[in-house]
Structure formats: structure tokens, C-alpha cells
Amino acid sequence: MVVQLLGRERESAVLDGLLRDVRDGRSGVLVLRGEAGAGKSALLDELAGRAGRLRVVRAAGVEAESEFAYSALQRLCAPLLDGPDGPDGPGGLGGLGGLPPVQREALRVAFGLSAGAAPEMLLVGMAVLGLFAEAAAAGPLVCLVDDAQWLDLMSQRILAFVGRRLDRESVLLVFAERTVDGAGDGGFAGLPELPLPGLGDAEARALLERALPGPVDARVRDRIVGEAGGNPLALLELPRGLSPAELAFGLGGPGSGPPPARVEEGFRRRVEALPADSRALLLVAALEPVGDGPLLWHALRLLGVGPEAAAPAEAAGLIVLGAPVRFRHPLVRSAVWRAAAPDALRAAHRALAGATDGGRDPDRLAWHLAHAAAGPDERVAVALEDSADRALARGGRAAAAGFLERAAALSPEPKGQARRALAAAAAHLSAGSTARVPDLLAAAELGPLDLLQQAHVHRLRARAAALTGRGSAAVRPLLDAVRRLDGLDPAAARETCLTAFGTAVRAGRSDPGALRLVAAAADALPSGDEPAGVLLRALAGWSTDGPAAAQPLLARALAARPEVEDPALLGAVVDAAAELGDLGAWLDVTDRAVRSARATGALSTLAAALPHRAAALGFAGRFAEGRALLAGAAAVGGGADGAGDADRAAVSVLLDAYQGRERPVLAAAERFSAAASAGERGPGGPGRLVAVAALARAVLHNGQGAYAAALEAAVEGAAYRDLGVYHWTCGELVEAAVRAGRPESAAGAREELAGWARAGTPWALGAGALAEALAGEPERAEERYREAVDRFARGGLGGFEARARLLFGEWLRRQNRRARAREELRAAHGAAVATGMAAFAERARRELLATGETVRRPEAGESVLTPQEARIARLAADGQPNAEIGAQLFLSPRTVEWHLRKVFTKLGVASRRELGGALSGG
């Protein structure tokens, strides 16, 4: 029988609803947020009881364990690793046997079950999602994670990723996270949450009544209720810290401070009242987070503590010495740990080190030895470095950073301390913990560093500045690092200069001088034939000699179709492709980058590649696929360094513009402009986002036929030559100026597009021809319109082809050639409807009506497939199995199967073989 928690009826009802959903085949995720003692753990216990026969797995974050990569995740997944055929499962792989081999191996390496290359977070996340789905195939699965605020970084990120991707697997994932000042740490931002406020006055008094041992003065009762603030644990525990006299007559009473702090203080007083051996037992248990009973007793024997020490601790209601060992509440562990004297902590760690098998768990041994050390110890520092290497081999960058930082602190020699501090700073930067980088670099600079190490200090400091939103202010420090690396590591110097170039490009008009500085630095570097070196020469030539002179160099850089694994290099390749108008290269390079990143689990590269790929698909008129990739990019997140966030926002607003979504376009434009204005007052801003916002508004208003507004936006966008954006903006400007009756305003943009056409790509040639058709010699207009349509069609630029046909049809109607106009307008209308270009479809519909042809306006919600369904259908039609589709879209195979059933129903087909025809038919 499950007892209803007092005052938590609303929360219990929400959890009951989630249980009903998971029993019905749907998945769910929820974050319970509240202060310590609010009842989060009790709600998890109640949920586990209400789950009945459903399979329940549990884990909890432990503050002392937060440096160990994947530690909490492994505890949660451990019961699921064994298959139905016994402890080894099918093929000796246990519950991992149902996963694709690359995911299976990633999980085994991450959990230390086998050796191998370090798996990226994405691959481990997909493996955990698949593991949950496999476990739920036999019946719904409930996963409960307590004290989520103390999860190690990798476990937190992976479980948040899984929570965002759960759909139709029959999995319920519930986190309990402690809040501080009403807010969590943001690790699960975006997931559904349920805040736990304090109990109401009536419920608080009823709960206090249960905790009181006897009659209590009414004023004391009122004081406890008032000071507890509705915190359930405070109401239960505060009276236990008061004597009968204090309870009866109000002498003493609860202390000051928030209820959780007072409750922890109450636990601390109860610990202090115990015999010394019982306190030692509690401290060792607090530092051994797994709850390993044999290990605990081994360590206690080394301390000279016998089994009799357990009884007082258990009698005080602080700990349960079962299998596993558990504290009554996480605040007990905190109280024990925080109240311990330094020498007692070192002694407990020393005993745990003596009890730990270094062959089976060398990392935990090194960690205990590190905390047992009273001063510098080179032997322990070396062991910590080895642990950092093993953590990196498992993909645990944050854990490696923690090991290296502690190793630096324990280094007896200044040279070793400086080297390890530098390595720790690099590891923290790779893990996304930029806040620790400046202090570690300052510590490294206190020791002797050679010239190359000094150069890398400057490089890391500049990269950290670039990643913490300082905009173009990071360009100068990056160039300082370039100068220091030149002659010591030329390849690293060119890569750093390319990063500086990307930063300057994105700063755009907010810091026009930044590009000139980067170009000068690039010219001073020795040439390199590696992809970064070739691209750097080409892009530097663009900024110094102009776009026309740079076209051959850019074409040469793209001709090799470089394999790109670094996000900065990928961004440079995409910028070069956009500047040349080479959609083929753009599609090819991003396709290979996405495929490679997915195969290897390179999260930072994938986070950067998906928005670039989505943009290329948008230019091809494949908006549904582009949106599906953007959704996948949001699921991946920005990676450790936020790679891809700005690009994802830029691509999203452009897709919105083409599809006529006015409200999100204008809102995004306002955000970008505000960010740029803030940057102008500070150290640089996102200037290219201003250009993207202006371009998006021009596309939106041209689609709506609001040509004066489109012209105003395009003029704003073309006021600065932003790499990869300027020529597209010129095309919008020409169309808007001509349609607004101001052809003179199109002259400059028309000349720019004529120069761009010399690049010889279908996009550039089509744009140049269309500008001439709109604003050039009237007698050649038809020829130019036909050329533009043909160029865009040959280049696979579906969106541009549809718009060129629309403009051609409008021109034909104004020439009173209605029959011919209908042909182009029908084609434009059909393409716009099929691809979701709603505003342009409406514009074509109105033109068709003017020719005398009746065209039905699509009803709201008439679109057959959602973007995700369209992407799944396309991949299935190409013959890809569910597991591979799921890997591409970050879904479990069961969710893919569910979506396909909906696709079959919507399209009226019965098998995958029929999908291709149904999709081709619109």
C-alpha cells in the first residue's frame, strides 16, 4: 500500500499521469525542483511504489563523486546491462547486445568495461537512449535520479540529452534537483519541470503534529511552523534537535538561516553527539559514495573501528547499514562531510585508499590518495595524471580536468606544477568549463614555461575569451597567440589564425578593423598546404584584394573537398562555399562532416555541422529536412563550447523567412539587433547576425509583396560586405527596388551580382541573370529569366528556382502573355506549396488569379507530414533501416517505427516500397 504524501496531492497526480502515459506506450520526462528537504526524495519513493510491477532503476548524484565521469550514469544503467539470458546476455554482451556495435562499444568504453578510443558524448547518449528503449521493449521502464545537482558533468549532459529525445519508448525519466534561491543549475534547462513549493499552513501543522513527541507550547508550535517555511524535512527534524524544556516552554528553539541549513545543522549536532568511532564510520561512508559495504568495513578496520560503532549511528536514524549502505537523507552526508576536520578527512581518505583495489579501480585509489596527502606528493600527482589519461580515453573531459587540477596542486616542482596546470586548463576548456581556465593559466605562468608552452597559454586564454561571448575582443588575443606560435608550431599558428578570422567575420560591422588585422597576420605566416593553410590564404585574399580576386583561391580551396573535423575549419569551408555560391561543395562537405561526426560521436563538430547542413538544404528548397536537422542540432546542444549556437539561430530565422513566418522572423531580428547594440557598447558584437536579420526581413517582405519594407531591410543588410551573406542580400535588394518602383536603387547591387557571376557557379550565374532580367535591358528580359531558371535548376537551388519562375510568370502576365505566364506561375506555386514557402505560394496564387485561373488557398493545417515525419519518410524511402534513421535523427528505433506508422497512414501507403512514389507525388 502506497501512503499519500501530506500536502503533495497535486504533485502525486502529475506523477500518476506520467505512469499512465508510460503504461500506454508513451515516454515522459520530469524534473522535480525544490530546496533541500522539500520532499523530492519522498516523491521519488512514492513514485517507485506506485509503479507496481513496472521495472524501476534508480541512481543518485553524490557530491564527492561529481568528478568521476559517467559514475552516476553507470549506476543507473548497471541493472540494464545484463540481458535476459543471464549475466553475460546474448553473445556475451548482456543487455548491450541489442545496440548497434558502435553504440555498444561506446558504452562499454565509457563505463570502463573495455578499452578503446574515447567516445564522444553524442555516441554515449544515443547508446543510453537505445539501452533504455531495449529494456522497455519487455515492459515500461521507470528511471529515477535523485540529487541531480550533484551528477558528474558527463552523466548530467547525457541524461539531459536522453530526456529531450524520449518519445515512444515507454520510458519514464524523473530527476530530483535541489534548487538554490529558487533556481537549479541549468543542467536540465528545457525539460518539463515541476517545482515543489513549501507546504501550506494546514498541511505544515499536520506534519509537525506527527513529529512532536508530546505537548508543545502553542507559541513554540507557531514559531517552528513559521521558521520552517513549509519545508517538510525541517518540520520533521527541527523538533528532534530541541530538548523537552525547549519544546514545552519555548526556551531556545530553531536557529537562524534557511530551513535546509538549519536541518543540516541539526544533523550535524546529532553526529557530534555520537561516539568517536561512530563519527568515523559516518565520515568514511560519506566519502564512499557507492555504498560498498565490504569496502566500508575494510577501511574502518584500517582505522581501528569495529562493528560496534554502527549501532549508535543507526539508532540515531542517520544511516542504514544494509546492502548497499545508505544515509537516511542526503543532508546527513553533507553534514558529516562538511563538519569533518581536515585531519579526519585525510585519515578517512587514507583508509579508503588502503581498502581500494588499485588494479580494479585505479582512478578512485588515486583520488583518495590525493585527498589523503597533507602536502605535495609527486607519486600521487603522477597517478592522477594517469587517471586523467584514462578519463580522456572514456570521453570524460571534465573528470580529466579535475584529476589534472589536483595533480598540479600536489606537484612538488614548479616545472611539473606549471605543466599540469596548463594541461588542466586545456582540459577544462575542452569540457566547456571556461570559468576555471583563467586561474589555472595564471598558476601555470608562475612556473617555468618554455616558449611553446607560453604561446599555448596565450592561445588558451584567447579561446576562452572567444567562447565566453566577448565577440571581436577575442581577435586581438588570438592574433597575439598566432605571433607567439609562429616559428614554434606553424600549423597551430595557422589554425589559430583561421579561428581569429571566423571570429572577425562574425563580428562583421561591429568591428570592421578586425578583419584587416587578421589578414595582415595571415600574410605574415608561412604558407601551408593543409586545408587550414589553403583556406586561410583564400579568405585573407578575400579581405585584402576583394571578392573577385579571391574567387580562384576560394575555388581551389573548395576543389579538394577537405575532410573537416574541426568546427572552426568547417565554418571556414562553409563561408568559402557561400561566398562562391557553390552549393554542391556546401552540400558535399557538410554531408560528409555530419556522417563522420555521427559515426565517431564528435559532438562539437556535429553541433557545428548540423546548422550548416540545414542551411544548404534550405537553399536547395528542402526546408522540411533542414528543419529536422535544426531540431537535431538543438537536441545535441552547443557541445562543450557552445559550437553552433549562433549559426543555428541564423539558419532558423532564414528558414522562417522563406516559409513566411513573420512573428519569429521579426522577433529574432529584434534580438539580433539588441545583441549587436549591446556589443557596440562593450567589446564587440555579433555584427553578421545583424546582416542575417536584415536579409531575413528582406526575404520575408519580398514574399509578402511588401516591397518598400523589403528594400529598406536589404539596404541595411548590404551596408557592409558580410562574407557569405552580401551577394544574397544584393539579390533581394534588386527584386525589392524594381518591384517598389525604384529601379535606380538597384544599380549598385546589380553591378555587384554581375561581378559575382564571374565565379561561374550556378548560384552566382543564376543570381546575376535574374538581376539583369529585373533591372537590365528590357528586350533581353525573357532571355535572362529563362537563363536564371535554368541555372538555378541545374544547381539544385529549388527555392531560388521557384522564385525565379514566380518573377518570370509575373513579368509574362504584365506582358499580357497569360497562357505562358500560367505555366511558370503553376510551377512556382506547386514548388512553393510543396516546400512550405507559404508567402511565395500565396503571391503565386494571387498572380494566377489575375490570369483568370482559379487556385484554392490551402486550408490551415493541410500540410500532410511534419518536418520530422518528412525526414523519416525520405530516409526510409532511401532504404535505410530504423536503427540507422534513429542514429541520424537522435531517436530510438522504436520511435522511428511509431512515426513511420503515422506516415503510412497519412500518405495512404502500406509499405516502404510505396513511400518514394507517394513523396514524389507531393
Side-chain angles (χ1 to χ4, degrees):
M1 178 180 175
V2 179
V3 178
Q4 173 69 54
L5 292 176
L6 187 63
R8 295 300 184 202
E9 293 80 10
R10 180 181 68 92
E11 292 81 2
S12 296
V14 171
L15 295 173
D16 283 342
L18 290 172
L19 282 176
R20 285 194 299 272
D21 286 344
V22 79
R23 288 188 173 103
D24 290 340
R26 296 185 293 275
S27 292
V29 61
L30 185 69
V31 182
L32 296 172
R33 284 203 172 96
E35 64 179 6
K40 302 180 298 296
S41 300
L43 278 169
L44 291 185
D45 291 340
E46 182 188 63
L47 177 60
R50 292 180 182 273
R53 296 184 179 181
L54 302 187
R55 188 174 189 184
V56 179
V57 294
R58 300 186 70 158
V62 178
E63 192 170 5
E65 190 88 339
S66 59
E67 297 290 346
F68 286 89
Y70 303 112
S71 56
L73 184 68
Q74 186 169 10
R75 289 197 293 273
L76 183 66
C77 293
L80 309 177
L81 298 181
D82 291 340
D85 300 335
D88 291 328
L93 293 172
L96 299 174
L99 302 180
V102 66
Q103 294 181 11
R104 179 194 312 152
E105 187 59 22
L107 210 54
R108 289 179 63 83
V109 172
F111 290 167
L113 303 177
S114 64
E120 284 287 344
M121 191 188 82
L122 172 69
L123 202 55
V124 179
M126 288 301 302
V128 173
L129 178 62
L131 186 69
F132 286 178
E134 287 294 317
L141 174 69
V142 178
C143 303
L144 307 179
V145 182
D146 205 352
D147 280 321
Q149 75 281 353
W150 285 334
L151 292 177
D152 61 275
L153 183 62
M154 295 305 292
S155 294
Q156 180 195 75
R157 286 179 171 173
I158 287 167
L159 288 172
F161 170 84
V162 171
R164 294 186 182 99
R165 305 313 297 164
L166 286 172
D167 193 347
R168 288 280 167 168
E169 299 84 359
S170 296
V171 175
L172 176 58
L173 180 57
V174 181
F175 302 97
E177 184 181 33
R178 181 186 300 185
T179 59
V180 178
D181 295 330
D185 65 4
F188 300 101
L191 295 180
E193 65 177 73
L194 181 64
L196 268 64
L199 298 179
D201 185 74
E203 291 85 359
R205 292 180 180 277
L207 186 60
L208 178 62
E209 195 67 34
R210 298 180 184 177
L212 294 175
V216 174
D217 183 274
R219 291 168 296 177
V220 176
R221 189 192 307 267
D222 291 341
R223 181 178 179 182
I224 293 175
V225 169
E227 294 186 347
N231 186 282
L233 186 64
L235 291 162
L236 292 171
E237 292 296 332
L238 287 175
R240 298 187 63 171
L242 305 179
S243 68
E246 289 171 333
L247 285 170
F249 304 109
L251 302 174
S256 61
R262 298 202 301 274
V263 172
E264 186 172 321
E265 174 63 19
F267 283 135
R268 188 186 64 79
R269 290 199 301 268
R270 286 158 65 183
V271 170
E272 289 177 344
L274 295 174
D277 282 359
S278 298
R279 296 198 303 273
L281 181 150
L282 289 174
L283 180 57
V284 173
L287 298 175
E288 199 296 295
V290 179
D292 186 335
L295 178 65
L296 171 66
W297 289 114
H298 186 181
L300 289 171
R301 285 195 297 273
L302 294 177
L303 285 173
V305 175
E308 65 279 0
E314 287 188 299
L318 298 172
I319 197 169
V320 178
L321 293 167
V325 176
R326 289 287 181 263
F327 282 96
R328 177 168 177 257
H329 191 277
L331 286 177
V332 179
R333 185 191 295 272
S334 299
V336 171
W337 189 20
R338 298 178 194 281
D343 57 345
L345 278 169
R346 285 193 293 271
H349 276 294
R350 193 176 303 114
L352 283 166
T356 300
D357 184 346
R360 294 180 55 189
D361 200 347
D363 299 336
R364 193 165 273 110
L365 172 61
W367 192 250
H368 286 312
L369 287 172
H371 286 81
D377 189 321
E378 178 64 17
R379 181 178 63 88
V380 177
V382 169
L384 287 168
E385 278 191 298
D386 292 341
S387 292
D389 290 340
R390 283 188 292 270
L392 285 173
R394 297 193 299 271
R397 293 181 176 86
F403 284 127
L404 288 168
E405 186 170 352
R406 186 66 178 168
L410 292 177
S411 300
E413 297 295 330
K415 185 175 182 180
Q417 185 178 52
R419 175 179 59 80
R420 287 161 178 154
L422 182 58
H428 273 298
L429 188 64
S430 178
S433 306
T434 53
R436 293 292 305 131
V437 173
D439 288 345
L440 285 166
L441 292 178
E445 289 177 312
L446 293 176
L449 297 173
D450 61 32
L451 291 177
L452 183 58
Q453 288 174 320
Q454 292 174 26
H456 281 296
V457 166
H458 287 270
R459 185 188 192 191
L460 290 172
R461 184 172 284 128
R463 284 189 60 203
L467 294 175
T468 51
R470 288 177 52 188
S472 63
V475 171
R476 278 76 174 175
L478 283 167
L479 293 182
D480 180 52
V482 169
R483 286 189 290 271
R484 293 171 180 272
L485 287 165
D486 186 17
L488 299 171
D489 190 341
R494 287 188 289 270
E495 290 173 7
T496 305
C497 196
L498 195 61
T499 301
F501 186 90
T503 304
V505 163
R506 279 151 183 78
R509 65 193 72 197
S510 66
D511 190 354
L515 267 178
R516 293 192 292 271
L517 291 174
V518 177
D523 286 341
L525 291 174
S527 297
D529 293 329
E530 77 281 6
V534 175
L535 274 167
L536 182 61
R537 285 202 308 277
L539 293 171
W542 172 87
S543 63
T544 56
D545 303 328
Q551 284 175 358
L553 272 175
L554 291 170
R556 180 185 164 196
L558 289 178
R561 295 290 199 270
E563 294 285 348
V564 287
E565 296 181 357
D566 179 74
L569 180 57
L570 177 62
V573 171
V574 169
D575 283 340
E579 181 62 24
L580 274 184
D582 192 342
L583 182 62
W586 193 338
L587 285 167
D588 178 60
V589 170
T590 55
D591 179 55
R592 287 187 288 113
V594 168
R595 288 178 182 272
S596 173
R598 280 175 173 148
T600 61
L603 182 66
S604 57
T605 300
L606 187 63
L610 286 172
H612 292 317
R613 177 74 177 162
L617 291 171
F619 294 130
R622 295 155 62 181
F623 296 104
E625 293 180 65
R627 287 210 170 274
L629 287 187
L630 278 187
V636 171
D641 57 6
D645 288 351
D647 289 332
R648 188 167 68 245
V651 175
S652 179
V653 73
L654 290 174
L655 293 181
D656 283 336
Y658 248 92
Q659 297 188 288
R661 297 172 176 170
E662 180 174 13
R663 184 173 296 177
V665 170
L666 298 182
E670 186 175 343
R671 287 198 309 273
F672 295 168
S673 297
S677 297
E680 288 169 3
R681 293 191 296 271
R688 193 159 77 161
L689 284 181
V690 175
V692 170
L695 172 58
R697 287 189 288 117
V699 172
L700 173 75
H701 293 314
N702 271 332
Q704 295 171 331
Y707 299 115
L711 178 59
E712 180 183 353
V715 168
E716 178 188 339
Y720 181 84
R721 186 181 290 275
D722 287 279
L723 182 68
V725 180
Y726 177 73
H727 288 122
W728 188 10
T729 307
C730 286
E732 299 297 330
L733 195 157
V734 171
E735 178 178 343
V738 171
R739 286 291 185 257
R742 295 173 54 187
E744 71 284 354
S745 300
R750 175 188 161 203
E751 290 179 10
E752 291 286 348
L753 292 172
W756 190 38
R758 288 193 285 273
T761 59
W763 190 350
L765 288 167
L770 189 59
E772 290 300 317
L774 285 164
E777 301 171 10
E779 60 272 13
R780 298 192 62 192
E782 182 170 357
E783 173 192 345
R784 291 300 201 174
Y785 276 124
R786 291 182 183 278
E787 180 186 354
V789 169
D790 181 66
R791 296 290 190 186
F792 289 142
R794 288 175 182 271
L797 293 138
F800 289 94
E801 180 190 355
R803 290 185 61 182
R805 288 187 182 278
L806 172 58
L807 288 166
F808 187 21
E810 290 173 337
W811 180 84
L812 287 167
R813 186 184 70 79
R814 285 164 178 76
Q815 299 298 311
N816 213 23
R817 296 165 60 184
R818 296 195 173 194
R820 183 70 184 89
R822 290 190 192 103
E823 295 178 20
E824 296 298 335
L825 292 172
R826 286 193 203 105
H829 181 265
V833 169
T835 57
M837 294 163 53
F840 290 102
E842 176 60 17
R843 189 170 132 190
R845 190 187 72 86
R846 290 196 303 266
E847 286 292 325
L848 280 168
L849 289 174
T851 67
E853 182 165 318
T854 301
V855 184
R856 182 178 63 88
R857 179 185 281 113
E859 298 295 332
E862 189 175 325
S863 178
V864 176
L865 301 181
T866 66
Q868 181 153 278
E869 289 168 352
R871 179 68 171 152
I872 290 171
R874 181 71 63 188
L875 293 172
D878 290 342
Q880 297 193 33
N882 289 357
E884 191 169 331
I885 296 173
Q888 290 195 43
L889 301 185
F890 319 111
L891 302 171
S892 73
R894 293 184 69 192
T895 296
V896 172
E897 180 182 356
W898 180 78
H899 280 298
L900 273 176
R901 287 199 297 267
K902 291 180 64 181
V903 168
F904 288 172
T905 301
K906 287 184 175 184
L907 297 183
V909 300
S911 69
R912 291 173 181 246
R913 290 192 302 273
E914 301 175 52
L915 277 176
L919 294 171
S920 299

